[in-house]
Amino acid sequence: YKMKFLYLHINKCGGTSILEWMKAHGINHENLGHNIIHASEFEDDFIYFTTVRNPYNRLASHYYQWELNHFWSRDITSPDKMINKLRQIDFYNSNKETKMIKMEHLTGGTCLDYRHCSKSPKFFEPCSSWIKGNPGRYRIFKLEEMEKVEDFIKDFAGLKHTSTLAKHRARSTTTRRKTSYRLEYSKENQRFIQEVFKEDFENYGYDI
């Protein structure tokens, strides 16, 4: 298959599993990593797609992944306390440079590179903010409907018999226990998430 798939890897949206699945089946693809490109830069011989996720679950997954890697400062011990800290430091009303500096309040160390740092402030931002330019140039799938991603890739790549994406779930996955993490947050923090991630709730049809 001549055309390549190019995947925008929004953090905590199942990207590692998708990329490992494509690699295992020899599917021609490139990984944008966590780097954002504008739709105006798209090339005709690529099929661009990405996955998004329920904001409550994505934020919880982010918390548990960083907890596993011991990234958090000592006072952040739950997803709810993570949101408390983001509110306390007024993270979402800051510009890019200030957000990088404020990462010290979350992790005990600043992020020096917004695009590539493993502790990038970009990871706390809505999925909608990653998709630049004409969103119609991306095929956008929900993580919760992974079988649609699988069918989409198989159809374009002309594959009939493959293992399922579920079998390639990343070993580092940390949110396996619940289908919804909304109740991990206080009512006040739920409202805050609904406000900050408003476009994700509206654009991708997630219940608040």
Side-chain angles (χ1 to χ4, degrees):
Y1 187 70
K2 294 181 179 180
M3 292 187 74
K4 287 184 179 180
F5 292 92
L6 203 154
Y7 179 66
L8 171 61
H9 190 173
I10 301 174
N11 66 305
K12 311 315 299 175
C13 290
T16 300
S17 300
I18 291 169
L19 292 166
E20 288 182 356
W21 182 79
M22 288 197 291
K23 182 178 179 180
H25 294 290
I27 297 170
N28 196 13
H29 71 281
E30 288 190 18
N31 176 18
L32 269 177
H34 296 308
N35 300 316
I36 300 170
I37 65 169
H38 196 282
S40 63
E41 302 174 46
F42 287 178
E43 300 177 23
D44 291 338
D45 56 347
F46 282 91
I47 298 171
Y48 294 83
F49 76 106
T50 190
T51 44
V52 298
R53 190 175 188 179
N54 182 301
Y56 300 123
N57 294 1
R58 180 170 169 242
L59 287 165
S61 181
H62 193 106
Y63 167 77
Y64 288 113
Q65 183 66 46
W66 279 21
E67 180 190 47
L68 189 67
N69 288 290
H70 308 289
F71 281 175
W72 295 116
S73 59
R74 292 182 180 181
D75 57 335
I76 299 178
T77 56
S78 70
D80 197 53
K81 289 187 177 180
M82 175 187 73
I83 299 300
N84 285 342
K85 180 64 74 171
L86 288 167
R87 294 176 60 195
Q88 178 185 332
I89 64 177
D90 200 22
F91 180 85
Y92 290 104
N93 289 321
S94 304
N95 61 31
K96 182 186 297 185
E97 290 72 23
T98 305
K99 284 179 179 177
M100 291 170 65
I101 295 170
K102 288 184 176 182
M103 289 301 292
E104 185 171 1
H105 296 280
L106 297 168
T107 67
T110 57
C111 175
L112 301 179
D113 188 328
Y114 188 79
R115 295 184 69 187
H116 301 292
C117 181
S118 62
K119 302 176 184 178
S120 174
K122 177 177 58 183
F123 296 158
F124 295 94
E125 295 174 2
C127 294
S128 300
S129 71
W130 290 61
I131 301 169
K132 302 294 185 182
N134 178 10
R137 291 297 306 275
Y138 277 105
R139 289 295 301 270
I140 301 172
F141 299 91
K142 293 182 181 181
L143 173 63
E144 297 81 4
E145 300 173 340
M146 193 66 89
E147 67 279 358
K148 292 184 179 180
V149 180
E150 189 176 322
D151 291 341
F152 165 73
I153 296 172
K154 287 167 66 175
D155 286 347
F156 272 98
L159 297 177
K160 294 183 179 180
H161 304 291
T162 65
S163 60
T164 64
L165 261 170
K167 291 185 178 180
H168 290 265
R169 191 172 188 179
R171 294 179 181 178
S172 59
T173 298
T174 53
T175 43
R176 299 171 184 265
R177 297 170 292 144
K178 304 174 183 177
T179 56
S180 174
Y181 281 77
R182 180 174 60 84
L183 297 181
E184 293 272 323
Y185 310 98
S186 68
K187 291 290 187 181
E188 187 176 10
N189 282 342
Q190 287 179 35
R191 289 191 292 271
F192 178 78
I193 293 168
Q194 292 162 16
E195 179 182 346
V196 172
F197 289 78
K198 180 180 179 181
E199 288 190 3
D200 283 6
F201 285 107
E202 293 180 349
N203 291 347
Y204 313 126
Y206 288 114
D207 295 333
I208 60 173

Short mmCIF file of all heavy atoms in Angstrom, two decimals, residues 174-202:
data_model
loop_
_atom_site.label_atom_id
_atom_site.label_comp_id
_atom_site.label_asym_id
_atom_site.label_seq_id
_atom_site.Cartn_x
_atom_site.Cartn_y
_atom_site.Cartn_z
N THR A 174 -2.36 2.62 32.58
CA THR A 174 -2.58 2.67 34.03
C THR A 174 -4.04 2.83 34.41
O THR A 174 -4.38 2.69 35.58
CB THR A 174 -1.78 3.85 34.64
OG1 THR A 174 -2.12 5.05 33.94
CG2 THR A 174 -0.28 3.59 34.54
N THR A 175 -4.92 3.14 33.45
CA THR A 175 -6.34 3.31 33.79
C THR A 175 -7.13 2.15 33.22
O THR A 175 -7.73 2.25 32.15
CB THR A 175 -6.88 4.65 33.25
OG1 THR A 175 -6.38 4.83 31.92
CG2 THR A 175 -6.43 5.81 34.10
N ARG A 176 -7.14 1.06 33.93
CA ARG A 176 -7.83 -0.15 33.49
C ARG A 176 -9.04 -0.46 34.37
O ARG A 176 -9.84 -1.32 34.05
CB ARG A 176 -6.89 -1.35 33.55
CG ARG A 176 -5.66 -1.25 32.67
CD ARG A 176 -4.71 -2.40 32.97
NE ARG A 176 -3.48 -2.29 32.21
CZ ARG A 176 -3.25 -2.89 31.05
NH1 ARG A 176 -4.20 -3.62 30.50
NH2 ARG A 176 -2.10 -2.75 30.42
N ARG A 177 -9.16 0.22 35.48
CA ARG A 177 -10.12 -0.20 36.50
C ARG A 177 -11.54 0.26 36.24
O ARG A 177 -12.49 -0.39 36.64
CB ARG A 177 -9.67 0.30 37.88
CG ARG A 177 -8.34 -0.28 38.35
CD ARG A 177 -7.85 0.44 39.60
NE ARG A 177 -7.47 1.82 39.30
CZ ARG A 177 -7.68 2.82 40.14
NH1 ARG A 177 -8.28 2.64 41.28
NH2 ARG A 177 -7.31 4.05 39.81
N LYS A 178 -11.72 1.41 35.57
CA LYS A 178 -13.05 2.01 35.45
C LYS A 178 -13.31 2.47 34.03
O LYS A 178 -12.39 2.78 33.29
CB LYS A 178 -13.16 3.23 36.39
CG LYS A 178 -12.84 2.94 37.85
CD LYS A 178 -12.85 4.26 38.64
CE LYS A 178 -12.47 4.01 40.09
NZ LYS A 178 -12.40 5.28 40.86
N THR A 179 -14.60 2.52 33.67
CA THR A 179 -14.95 3.08 32.38
C THR A 179 -15.05 4.60 32.45
O THR A 179 -14.89 5.28 31.45
CB THR A 179 -16.30 2.51 31.89
OG1 THR A 179 -17.30 2.76 32.88
CG2 THR A 179 -16.19 1.01 31.63
N SER A 180 -15.31 5.15 33.64
CA SER A 180 -15.38 6.59 33.83
C SER A 180 -14.67 6.99 35.11
O SER A 180 -14.85 6.35 36.14
CB SER A 180 -16.83 7.07 33.89
OG SER A 180 -16.88 8.46 34.20
N TYR A 181 -13.88 8.07 35.01
CA TYR A 181 -13.15 8.57 36.18
C TYR A 181 -13.71 9.91 36.67
O TYR A 181 -13.07 10.60 37.46
CB TYR A 181 -11.66 8.72 35.83
CG TYR A 181 -10.93 7.40 35.88
CD1 TYR A 181 -11.06 6.49 34.85
CD2 TYR A 181 -10.15 7.04 36.97
CE1 TYR A 181 -10.43 5.25 34.89
CE2 TYR A 181 -9.50 5.83 37.02
CZ TYR A 181 -9.64 4.94 35.98
OH TYR A 181 -9.02 3.72 36.03
N ARG A 182 -14.92 10.25 36.23
CA ARG A 182 -15.50 11.54 36.61
C ARG A 182 -15.59 11.70 38.12
O ARG A 182 -15.32 12.78 38.66
CB ARG A 182 -16.89 11.67 35.98
CG ARG A 182 -17.59 12.99 36.31
CD ARG A 182 -18.90 13.13 35.55
NE ARG A 182 -19.84 12.07 35.87
CZ ARG A 182 -20.66 12.09 36.92
NH1 ARG A 182 -20.66 13.11 37.74
NH2 ARG A 182 -21.49 11.09 37.12
N LEU A 183 -15.93 10.62 38.84
CA LEU A 183 -16.12 10.73 40.28
C LEU A 183 -14.81 10.77 41.05
O LEU A 183 -14.82 10.87 42.27
CB LEU A 183 -17.00 9.56 40.78
CG LEU A 183 -18.42 9.54 40.21
CD1 LEU A 183 -19.21 8.37 40.78
CD2 LEU A 183 -19.15 10.86 40.50
N GLU A 184 -13.69 10.71 40.33
CA GLU A 184 -12.39 10.91 40.98
C GLU A 184 -12.19 12.37 41.36
O GLU A 184 -11.28 12.70 42.13
CB GLU A 184 -11.26 10.50 40.03
CG GLU A 184 -11.20 9.02 39.72
CD GLU A 184 -10.37 8.25 40.72
OE1 GLU A 184 -9.35 8.78 41.20
OE2 GLU A 184 -10.76 7.11 41.04
N TYR A 185 -13.05 13.25 40.82
CA TYR A 185 -12.89 14.68 41.02
C TYR A 185 -14.04 15.23 41.87
O TYR A 185 -15.18 14.74 41.78
CB TYR A 185 -12.87 15.41 39.68
CG TYR A 185 -11.92 14.81 38.67
CD1 TYR A 185 -12.39 13.94 37.69
CD2 TYR A 185 -10.56 15.10 38.70
CE1 TYR A 185 -11.53 13.37 36.76
CE2 TYR A 185 -9.70 14.54 37.78
CZ TYR A 185 -10.18 13.68 36.82
OH TYR A 185 -9.33 13.12 35.91
N SER A 186 -13.76 16.25 42.64
CA SER A 186 -14.82 16.94 43.38
C SER A 186 -15.79 17.59 42.41
O SER A 186 -15.47 17.78 41.22
CB SER A 186 -14.21 18.01 44.29
OG SER A 186 -13.65 19.06 43.50
N LYS A 187 -16.97 17.94 42.87
CA LYS A 187 -17.95 18.61 42.03
C LYS A 187 -17.37 19.90 41.45
O LYS A 187 -17.59 20.24 40.28
CB LYS A 187 -19.22 18.91 42.84
CG LYS A 187 -20.02 17.69 43.24
CD LYS A 187 -20.69 17.04 42.04
CE LYS A 187 -21.61 15.92 42.48
NZ LYS A 187 -22.26 15.26 41.31
N GLU A 188 -16.65 20.62 42.29
CA GLU A 188 -16.04 21.88 41.84
C GLU A 188 -15.04 21.63 40.73
O GLU A 188 -15.00 22.36 39.74
CB GLU A 188 -15.37 22.58 43.03
CG GLU A 188 -14.86 23.96 42.71
CD GLU A 188 -14.29 24.66 43.93
OE1 GLU A 188 -14.11 23.99 44.98
OE2 GLU A 188 -14.01 25.86 43.83
N ASN A 189 -14.23 20.59 40.89
CA ASN A 189 -13.24 20.29 39.87
C ASN A 189 -13.86 19.70 38.61
O ASN A 189 -13.34 19.89 37.51
CB ASN A 189 -12.16 19.37 40.43
CG ASN A 189 -11.16 20.12 41.29
OD1 ASN A 189 -11.07 21.34 41.21
ND2 ASN A 189 -10.42 19.40 42.12
N GLN A 190 -14.97 19.01 38.76
CA GLN A 190 -15.70 18.54 37.58
C GLN A 190 -16.15 19.73 36.75
O GLN A 190 -16.03 19.73 35.52
CB GLN A 190 -16.90 17.70 37.99
CG GLN A 190 -16.55 16.31 38.52
CD GLN A 190 -17.79 15.54 38.93
OE1 GLN A 190 -18.85 15.66 38.33
NE2 GLN A 190 -17.66 14.74 39.98
N ARG A 191 -16.68 20.75 37.41
CA ARG A 191 -17.12 21.95 36.69
C ARG A 191 -15.95 22.65 36.02
O ARG A 191 -16.06 23.19 34.91
CB ARG A 191 -17.86 22.89 37.65
CG ARG A 191 -19.23 22.38 38.07
CD ARG A 191 -20.03 23.45 38.79
NE ARG A 191 -19.45 23.79 40.09
CZ ARG A 191 -19.76 23.18 41.23
NH1 ARG A 191 -20.65 22.19 41.23
NH2 ARG A 191 -19.21 23.55 42.36
N PHE A 192 -14.81 22.66 36.71
CA PHE A 192 -13.62 23.28 36.15
C PHE A 192 -13.18 22.54 34.88
O PHE A 192 -12.87 23.16 33.86
CB PHE A 192 -12.49 23.25 37.19
CG PHE A 192 -11.19 23.81 36.69
CD1 PHE A 192 -10.99 25.17 36.61
CD2 PHE A 192 -10.15 22.97 36.31
CE1 PHE A 192 -9.79 25.70 36.14
CE2 PHE A 192 -8.95 23.48 35.85
CZ PHE A 192 -8.77 24.85 35.77
N ILE A 193 -13.16 21.22 34.92
CA ILE A 193 -12.78 20.42 33.76
C ILE A 193 -13.76 20.65 32.62
O ILE A 193 -13.37 20.79 31.45
CB ILE A 193 -12.72 18.92 34.13
CG1 ILE A 193 -11.57 18.67 35.11
CG2 ILE A 193 -12.56 18.04 32.88
CD1 ILE A 193 -11.59 17.29 35.75
N GLN A 194 -15.04 20.73 32.95
CA GLN A 194 -16.06 20.98 31.92
C GLN A 194 -15.83 22.32 31.24
O GLN A 194 -16.05 22.45 30.02
CB GLN A 194 -17.45 20.94 32.56
CG GLN A 194 -17.87 19.55 33.03
CD GLN A 194 -19.01 19.60 34.03
OE1 GLN A 194 -19.70 20.62 34.16
NE2 GLN A 194 -19.22 18.50 34.74
N GLU A 195 -15.38 23.30 31.99
CA GLU A 195 -15.13 24.63 31.43
C GLU A 195 -13.88 24.63 30.55
O GLU A 195 -13.91 25.10 29.41
CB GLU A 195 -14.99 25.64 32.55
CG GLU A 195 -14.69 27.06 32.06
CD GLU A 195 -14.51 28.04 33.21
OE1 GLU A 195 -14.87 27.70 34.36
OE2 GLU A 195 -14.01 29.15 32.96
N VAL A 196 -12.78 24.09 31.09
CA VAL A 196 -11.51 24.11 30.37
C VAL A 196 -11.55 23.23 29.12
O VAL A 196 -11.01 23.59 28.07
CB VAL A 196 -10.35 23.68 31.29
CG1 VAL A 196 -9.06 23.53 30.49
CG2 VAL A 196 -10.17 24.70 32.41
N PHE A 197 -12.21 22.08 29.24
CA PHE A 197 -12.27 21.11 28.15
C PHE A 197 -13.60 21.18 27.41
O PHE A 197 -14.04 20.18 26.82
CB PHE A 197 -12.00 19.70 28.68
CG PHE A 197 -10.58 19.48 29.09
CD1 PHE A 197 -10.11 19.97 30.30
CD2 PHE A 197 -9.69 18.81 28.27
CE1 PHE A 197 -8.79 19.78 30.69
CE2 PHE A 197 -8.38 18.61 28.64
CZ PHE A 197 -7.91 19.10 29.85
N LYS A 198 -14.22 22.34 27.43
CA LYS A 198 -15.55 22.51 26.83
C LYS A 198 -15.58 22.05 25.37
O LYS A 198 -16.52 21.36 24.94
CB LYS A 198 -15.97 23.98 26.92
CG LYS A 198 -17.34 24.26 26.33
CD LYS A 198 -17.70 25.75 26.45
CE LYS A 198 -19.07 26.04 25.85
NZ LYS A 198 -19.41 27.48 25.94
N GLU A 199 -14.57 22.43 24.59
CA GLU A 199 -14.57 22.06 23.17
C GLU A 199 -14.48 20.55 22.98
O GLU A 199 -15.08 20.01 22.05
CB GLU A 199 -13.41 22.75 22.45
CG GLU A 199 -13.62 24.24 22.27
CD GLU A 199 -12.58 24.85 21.35
OE1 GLU A 199 -11.74 24.09 20.81
OE2 GLU A 199 -12.62 26.07 21.15
N ASP A 200 -13.75 19.87 23.85
CA ASP A 200 -13.66 18.42 23.72
C ASP A 200 -15.01 17.77 24.00
O ASP A 200 -15.43 16.85 23.30
CB ASP A 200 -12.61 17.85 24.68
CG ASP A 200 -11.19 18.08 24.18
OD1 ASP A 200 -11.02 18.77 23.16
OD2 ASP A 200 -10.26 17.57 24.83
N PHE A 201 -15.69 18.23 25.04
CA PHE A 201 -17.01 17.69 25.35
C PHE A 201 -17.98 17.93 24.19
O PHE A 201 -18.75 17.04 23.81
CB PHE A 201 -17.58 18.31 26.64
CG PHE A 201 -16.95 17.78 27.90
CD1 PHE A 201 -16.07 18.58 28.63
CD2 PHE A 201 -17.24 16.51 28.38
CE1 PHE A 201 -15.49 18.10 29.80
CE2 PHE A 201 -16.67 16.04 29.55
CZ PHE A 201 -15.80 16.83 30.26
N GLU A 202 -17.92 19.13 23.63
CA GLU A 202 -18.86 19.49 22.56
C GLU A 202 -18.47 18.87 21.22
O GLU A 202 -19.32 18.30 20.53
CB GLU A 202 -18.93 21.01 22.43
CG GLU A 202 -19.55 21.70 23.63
CD GLU A 202 -19.61 23.21 23.48
OE1 GLU A 202 -18.97 23.75 22.54
OE2 GLU A 202 -20.28 23.87 24.31
#
